[in-house]
Every structure is written in structure tokens, then in C-alpha cells.
Amino acid sequence: MLSAKSLFQEILDNDESFALFCSIAASGESQGGWENARIAALVPRSERDLAPKITRHGADEDKHGRIFTALMRKRGLAPVPVPPETDYTMLLEKHGIGLAHARLTQDEPLTVREIVTYLAHSRVTEQRASEQMELLRKHFADHPGIGRAVRMISDDEDNHLAYCHEELLRLAYAGHGRDIQRTLRECALAEIRIYRDVSLAVMDHMGRILGWPKPKSAVLAAGIHAVYAYERLVGWRRMVTLRAPERRDALGGPATTAPEFA
């Protein structure tokens, strides 16, 4: 029987598929770390209180990249090249979601509108990250090899999502509500399409590595398309709603370290 747990267990048990999974994850986290560091450096004066939180966000992403690399190293594996069609972060940028790298390499301070774009993009992608890590936590929180990493990253992603809710609500109350809702909707509809495409690409690579029969690959692809159809119809709305988080000031302190991994 196909299940999320059995599929990931297959990926986990094979060195080649595990190296690809961790390399894709580490690459995306490292890119996120760089982006947040640059955004923190370019925060406009009117939003300077955000800078330490954005810095913390970036430090967490860098930490996650190191954790995924360390998980490979523990098994004697080296990172492998990330196929372009599986690069979620870069595909989002290519489709105009979030702040472009070309903008972040400039030294001109960001505008409040660009901060709204950054936070809306983060709110959508952190929703996805939080849900994915919650799924892994459900099945692998006590796994001797990856359990500690899964729990740590899951906690961080929940903090990131709470921070996005809190800061977007603050900006909405300051008069940016219309821009926030429009940007959230644009980001969500683009993200679900890119997530579908990346999921299909990742499953295609994993299927070749693990020797999945065509019927199994077809069932998995059909499942991915079904999830996209649901998200395109109604599921995207969970990514655009804003509510006061239970975790207040979730990124208000220093980043936690991971000495057991890094």
C-alpha cells in the first residue's frame, strides 16, 4: 500500500535517493538563508525593527542547510547536483514570486511594498514547509537517524510561519491590507503550480533511482495532480488567510544552534 511514510522510508533506505533528497533540501535552505540575510541588510528605516527577525529567519535557514548536509555526511554520502526542475526556490524566483536575486544584490534599501512582497511570499512558502515537516514529524519524529533533525526543523518552520502571520497582520493594520491580500493570492496560486511541477520532477528522479514500476509511478503522478486540483479549487485559501498566531514574537530571540549536526 502506498503511503507518505512508506514512500519516504524507501527514499531514506537508499543512499542515492537519500543523497538527492537531502541535496535538494539543503540547496533550498541555503538559498533561503542568503535571501533573508540580504533582505535584513536592506530593510528600510521605517521597518528597522524587522531586521533582527529577518536575520534570525535567515540563520535558521542556513542551519537547516547544514543539518541536511550533516545527515548525508553521517552516512558517508556527499551532496549531489540538484536537477534544475527540482529547484523549488529558484523556480519561484523565475516565475516572479518573491524578491528577485538581482534586486537583492543592489545596495538600495527596500521599500515597504517590497517588504510586503517578501513577507507574503514567506507566508505562503512557510505554510508548505510547516506542513511538510509536520508530516515527517508524524512518521519519523522518533527515527534514530533523522528524528532529532526533523523535530528541530519542524519547530523552526512553525516559528517562521507564526512570524509571517504576525508581521503581515501588523502591516495590514497599518493600511497595507489590500496589497497584502492581492500579493498573497498571486503567490499562493503560483506556488501550488510550481510545487506540483517540482513534486512530479522529484518523484520522477526517485522512481528512476529506486526502480519503481510504471504503474506505481503513474499512481503517484495521479496523486500529485489530484492534490494540485484540490489546491487550485479551494486549498490555496489556507495559504492566504491571516490570524493571530499562538506563538507571539516567534523570531524575537537569537537563532538556536545545532552543534550535534553542524
Short mmCIF file of all heavy atoms in Angstrom, two decimals, residues 172-207:
data_model
loop_
_atom_site.label_atom_id
_atom_site.label_comp_id
_atom_site.label_asym_id
_atom_site.label_seq_id
_atom_site.Cartn_x
_atom_site.Cartn_y
_atom_site.Cartn_z
N ALA A 172 -1.05 44.97 7.80
CA ALA A 172 -2.45 45.15 7.37
C ALA A 172 -3.13 46.23 8.20
O ALA A 172 -3.84 47.10 7.67
CB ALA A 172 -3.19 43.82 7.49
N TYR A 173 -2.91 46.20 9.51
CA TYR A 173 -3.49 47.21 10.38
C TYR A 173 -2.91 48.60 10.09
O TYR A 173 -3.55 49.62 10.37
CB TYR A 173 -3.25 46.86 11.85
CG TYR A 173 -3.97 45.62 12.30
CD1 TYR A 173 -3.38 44.74 13.22
CD2 TYR A 173 -5.24 45.31 11.84
CE1 TYR A 173 -4.03 43.59 13.64
CE2 TYR A 173 -5.90 44.16 12.25
CZ TYR A 173 -5.29 43.31 13.15
OH TYR A 173 -5.94 42.18 13.57
N ALA A 174 -1.70 48.62 9.50
CA ALA A 174 -1.08 49.91 9.16
C ALA A 174 -1.54 50.44 7.82
O ALA A 174 -1.04 51.49 7.36
CB ALA A 174 0.45 49.75 9.18
N GLY A 175 -2.45 49.72 7.15
CA GLY A 175 -3.01 50.22 5.91
C GLY A 175 -2.60 49.50 4.64
O GLY A 175 -2.95 49.93 3.55
N HIS A 176 -1.89 48.39 4.78
CA HIS A 176 -1.41 47.66 3.59
C HIS A 176 -2.24 46.42 3.29
O HIS A 176 -1.79 45.55 2.52
CB HIS A 176 0.06 47.27 3.79
CG HIS A 176 0.98 48.43 4.01
ND1 HIS A 176 1.45 49.21 2.97
CD2 HIS A 176 1.49 48.97 5.14
CE1 HIS A 176 2.22 50.16 3.46
NE2 HIS A 176 2.26 50.05 4.77
N GLY A 177 -3.43 46.33 3.88
CA GLY A 177 -4.23 45.12 3.75
C GLY A 177 -4.55 44.70 2.33
O GLY A 177 -4.45 43.53 1.97
N ARG A 178 -4.91 45.67 1.48
CA ARG A 178 -5.27 45.33 0.10
C ARG A 178 -4.08 44.76 -0.66
O ARG A 178 -4.19 43.75 -1.36
CB ARG A 178 -5.80 46.57 -0.61
CG ARG A 178 -6.45 46.28 -1.96
CD ARG A 178 -7.14 47.51 -2.46
NE ARG A 178 -8.18 47.95 -1.52
CZ ARG A 178 -9.44 48.14 -1.87
NH1 ARG A 178 -9.81 47.94 -3.11
NH2 ARG A 178 -10.32 48.54 -0.98
N ASP A 179 -2.92 45.39 -0.52
CA ASP A 179 -1.71 44.89 -1.17
C ASP A 179 -1.35 43.50 -0.66
O ASP A 179 -0.93 42.63 -1.43
CB ASP A 179 -0.52 45.83 -0.91
CG ASP A 179 -0.48 47.00 -1.88
OD1 ASP A 179 -1.21 46.95 -2.89
OD2 ASP A 179 0.27 47.96 -1.61
N ILE A 180 -1.49 43.30 0.64
CA ILE A 180 -1.15 42.01 1.23
C ILE A 180 -2.04 40.91 0.67
O ILE A 180 -1.54 39.85 0.25
CB ILE A 180 -1.27 42.08 2.77
CG1 ILE A 180 -0.13 42.92 3.34
CG2 ILE A 180 -1.25 40.68 3.38
CD1 ILE A 180 -0.30 43.26 4.81
N GLN A 181 -3.33 41.12 0.62
CA GLN A 181 -4.22 40.07 0.13
C GLN A 181 -3.99 39.78 -1.35
O GLN A 181 -4.01 38.62 -1.77
CB GLN A 181 -5.69 40.48 0.38
CG GLN A 181 -6.12 40.29 1.82
CD GLN A 181 -5.95 38.86 2.29
OE1 GLN A 181 -6.28 37.91 1.57
NE2 GLN A 181 -5.45 38.69 3.51
N ARG A 182 -3.78 40.83 -2.14
CA ARG A 182 -3.51 40.60 -3.57
C ARG A 182 -2.22 39.82 -3.76
O ARG A 182 -2.17 38.87 -4.56
CB ARG A 182 -3.44 41.95 -4.30
CG ARG A 182 -3.08 41.83 -5.78
CD ARG A 182 -3.14 43.18 -6.47
NE ARG A 182 -2.36 44.18 -5.77
CZ ARG A 182 -1.03 44.29 -5.87
NH1 ARG A 182 -0.34 43.44 -6.63
NH2 ARG A 182 -0.38 45.23 -5.23
N THR A 183 -1.18 40.20 -3.03
CA THR A 183 0.11 39.52 -3.19
C THR A 183 0.05 38.09 -2.68
O THR A 183 0.63 37.18 -3.29
CB THR A 183 1.21 40.31 -2.44
OG1 THR A 183 1.19 41.67 -2.86
CG2 THR A 183 2.58 39.72 -2.74
N LEU A 184 -0.64 37.88 -1.57
CA LEU A 184 -0.78 36.51 -1.05
C LEU A 184 -1.48 35.62 -2.07
O LEU A 184 -1.05 34.47 -2.30
CB LEU A 184 -1.59 36.53 0.25
CG LEU A 184 -0.85 36.92 1.53
CD1 LEU A 184 -1.84 37.09 2.67
CD2 LEU A 184 0.22 35.89 1.89
N ARG A 185 -2.53 36.11 -2.69
CA ARG A 185 -3.26 35.30 -3.67
C ARG A 185 -2.37 34.97 -4.87
O ARG A 185 -2.34 33.82 -5.32
CB ARG A 185 -4.53 36.02 -4.12
CG ARG A 185 -5.43 35.18 -5.00
CD ARG A 185 -6.70 35.93 -5.39
NE ARG A 185 -7.64 35.05 -6.06
CZ ARG A 185 -7.59 34.74 -7.36
NH1 ARG A 185 -6.63 35.24 -8.12
NH2 ARG A 185 -8.50 33.93 -7.89
N GLU A 186 -1.66 35.96 -5.38
CA GLU A 186 -0.76 35.72 -6.51
C GLU A 186 0.30 34.68 -6.16
O GLU A 186 0.59 33.77 -6.94
CB GLU A 186 -0.09 37.03 -6.94
CG GLU A 186 -1.04 38.02 -7.58
CD GLU A 186 -0.37 39.37 -7.83
OE1 GLU A 186 0.81 39.52 -7.44
OE2 GLU A 186 -1.02 40.26 -8.41
N CYS A 187 0.90 34.83 -4.98
CA CYS A 187 1.94 33.90 -4.54
C CYS A 187 1.39 32.49 -4.38
O CYS A 187 2.01 31.51 -4.80
CB CYS A 187 2.55 34.36 -3.22
SG CYS A 187 3.66 35.77 -3.33
N ALA A 188 0.22 32.38 -3.75
CA ALA A 188 -0.35 31.06 -3.48
C ALA A 188 -0.67 30.31 -4.77
O ALA A 188 -0.36 29.12 -4.91
CB ALA A 188 -1.60 31.20 -2.62
N LEU A 189 -1.29 31.00 -5.73
CA LEU A 189 -1.67 30.33 -6.97
C LEU A 189 -0.44 29.91 -7.77
O LEU A 189 -0.43 28.86 -8.42
CB LEU A 189 -2.58 31.24 -7.80
CG LEU A 189 -3.97 31.49 -7.19
CD1 LEU A 189 -4.75 32.49 -8.04
CD2 LEU A 189 -4.74 30.18 -7.06
N ALA A 190 0.62 30.73 -7.73
CA ALA A 190 1.86 30.35 -8.42
C ALA A 190 2.56 29.22 -7.68
O ALA A 190 3.07 28.28 -8.30
CB ALA A 190 2.78 31.57 -8.53
N GLU A 191 2.57 29.28 -6.35
CA GLU A 191 3.27 28.27 -5.56
C GLU A 191 2.69 26.89 -5.75
O GLU A 191 3.43 25.91 -5.88
CB GLU A 191 3.24 28.66 -4.07
CG GLU A 191 4.18 27.84 -3.19
CD GLU A 191 3.64 26.48 -2.78
OE1 GLU A 191 2.42 26.27 -2.88
OE2 GLU A 191 4.44 25.63 -2.35
N ILE A 192 1.36 26.77 -5.76
CA ILE A 192 0.78 25.44 -5.87
C ILE A 192 1.10 24.81 -7.24
O ILE A 192 1.27 23.60 -7.35
CB ILE A 192 -0.74 25.44 -5.60
CG1 ILE A 192 -1.49 26.29 -6.62
CG2 ILE A 192 -1.02 25.90 -4.19
CD1 ILE A 192 -3.00 26.19 -6.51
N ARG A 193 1.20 25.64 -8.27
CA ARG A 193 1.56 25.13 -9.59
C ARG A 193 3.02 24.68 -9.62
O ARG A 193 3.35 23.60 -10.13
CB ARG A 193 1.32 26.21 -10.65
CG ARG A 193 1.57 25.72 -12.08
CD ARG A 193 1.32 26.83 -13.08
NE ARG A 193 2.30 27.91 -12.97
CZ ARG A 193 2.06 29.11 -12.48
NH1 ARG A 193 0.87 29.40 -12.00
NH2 ARG A 193 3.01 30.03 -12.43
N ILE A 194 3.90 25.50 -9.05
CA ILE A 194 5.32 25.15 -9.04
C ILE A 194 5.57 23.95 -8.14
O ILE A 194 6.37 23.05 -8.46
CB ILE A 194 6.16 26.37 -8.60
CG1 ILE A 194 6.09 27.43 -9.71
CG2 ILE A 194 7.61 25.99 -8.31
CD1 ILE A 194 6.57 28.79 -9.30
N TYR A 195 4.86 23.88 -7.01
CA TYR A 195 5.01 22.73 -6.12
C TYR A 195 4.59 21.44 -6.83
O TYR A 195 5.23 20.40 -6.67
CB TYR A 195 4.16 22.94 -4.87
CG TYR A 195 4.24 21.80 -3.89
CD1 TYR A 195 5.39 21.58 -3.14
CD2 TYR A 195 3.17 20.93 -3.72
CE1 TYR A 195 5.46 20.52 -2.25
CE2 TYR A 195 3.24 19.87 -2.84
CZ TYR A 195 4.39 19.67 -2.10
OH TYR A 195 4.45 18.62 -1.22
N ARG A 196 3.52 21.51 -7.61
CA ARG A 196 3.11 20.34 -8.40
C ARG A 196 4.22 19.92 -9.36
O ARG A 196 4.59 18.73 -9.43
CB ARG A 196 1.84 20.66 -9.20
CG ARG A 196 1.41 19.55 -10.15
CD ARG A 196 0.53 20.09 -11.27
NE ARG A 196 1.23 21.09 -12.07
CZ ARG A 196 0.65 21.87 -12.99
NH1 ARG A 196 -0.66 21.78 -13.19
NH2 ARG A 196 1.36 22.74 -13.69
N ASP A 197 4.76 20.88 -10.10
CA ASP A 197 5.79 20.56 -11.09
C ASP A 197 7.05 20.00 -10.43
O ASP A 197 7.65 19.04 -10.92
CB ASP A 197 6.14 21.80 -11.91
CG ASP A 197 4.97 22.29 -12.77
OD1 ASP A 197 4.02 21.51 -12.97
OD2 ASP A 197 5.02 23.44 -13.23
N VAL A 198 7.44 20.61 -9.30
CA VAL A 198 8.63 20.12 -8.59
C VAL A 198 8.37 18.73 -8.03
O VAL A 198 9.25 17.85 -8.09
CB VAL A 198 9.03 21.11 -7.48
CG1 VAL A 198 10.06 20.49 -6.53
CG2 VAL A 198 9.59 22.39 -8.09
N SER A 199 7.19 18.50 -7.49
CA SER A 199 6.86 17.19 -6.94
C SER A 199 6.92 16.11 -8.02
O SER A 199 7.44 15.01 -7.79
CB SER A 199 5.46 17.21 -6.30
OG SER A 199 5.41 18.10 -5.21
N LEU A 200 6.38 16.41 -9.19
CA LEU A 200 6.43 15.46 -10.29
C LEU A 200 7.88 15.18 -10.70
O LEU A 200 8.26 14.02 -10.95
CB LEU A 200 5.65 16.00 -11.49
CG LEU A 200 4.12 16.03 -11.34
CD1 LEU A 200 3.49 16.82 -12.48
CD2 LEU A 200 3.56 14.61 -11.30
N ALA A 201 8.71 16.23 -10.74
CA ALA A 201 10.11 16.05 -11.12
C ALA A 201 10.86 15.24 -10.08
O ALA A 201 11.65 14.33 -10.43
CB ALA A 201 10.78 17.42 -11.31
N VAL A 202 10.64 15.54 -8.81
CA VAL A 202 11.33 14.79 -7.75
C VAL A 202 10.92 13.32 -7.79
O VAL A 202 11.77 12.42 -7.70
CB VAL A 202 11.03 15.40 -6.36
CG1 VAL A 202 11.54 14.49 -5.25
CG2 VAL A 202 11.68 16.78 -6.24
N MET A 203 9.63 13.04 -7.92
CA MET A 203 9.16 11.66 -7.96
C MET A 203 9.69 10.93 -9.19
O MET A 203 9.98 9.73 -9.14
CB MET A 203 7.63 11.62 -7.95
CG MET A 203 7.01 11.94 -6.60
SD MET A 203 7.48 10.80 -5.26
CE MET A 203 8.69 11.80 -4.37
N ASP A 204 9.86 11.65 -10.30
CA ASP A 204 10.43 11.03 -11.50
C ASP A 204 11.87 10.60 -11.25
O ASP A 204 12.27 9.48 -11.59
CB ASP A 204 10.36 12.02 -12.67
CG ASP A 204 10.86 11.41 -13.97
OD1 ASP A 204 10.31 10.38 -14.39
OD2 ASP A 204 11.82 11.96 -14.55
N HIS A 205 12.65 11.49 -10.63
CA HIS A 205 14.04 11.14 -10.32
C HIS A 205 14.11 9.99 -9.31
O HIS A 205 14.91 9.07 -9.47
CB HIS A 205 14.78 12.36 -9.78
CG HIS A 205 15.19 13.33 -10.83
ND1 HIS A 205 16.34 13.18 -11.60
CD2 HIS A 205 14.61 14.48 -11.27
CE1 HIS A 205 16.44 14.19 -12.44
NE2 HIS A 205 15.41 15.00 -12.26
N MET A 206 13.28 10.06 -8.28
CA MET A 206 13.29 8.99 -7.27
C MET A 206 12.86 7.67 -7.88
O MET A 206 13.40 6.61 -7.55
CB MET A 206 12.35 9.36 -6.11
CG MET A 206 12.79 10.57 -5.30
SD MET A 206 14.43 10.33 -4.55
CE MET A 206 14.64 11.92 -3.73
N GLY A 207 11.87 7.71 -8.77
CA GLY A 207 11.40 6.49 -9.41
C GLY A 207 12.49 5.80 -10.21
O GLY A 207 12.61 4.57 -10.19
#
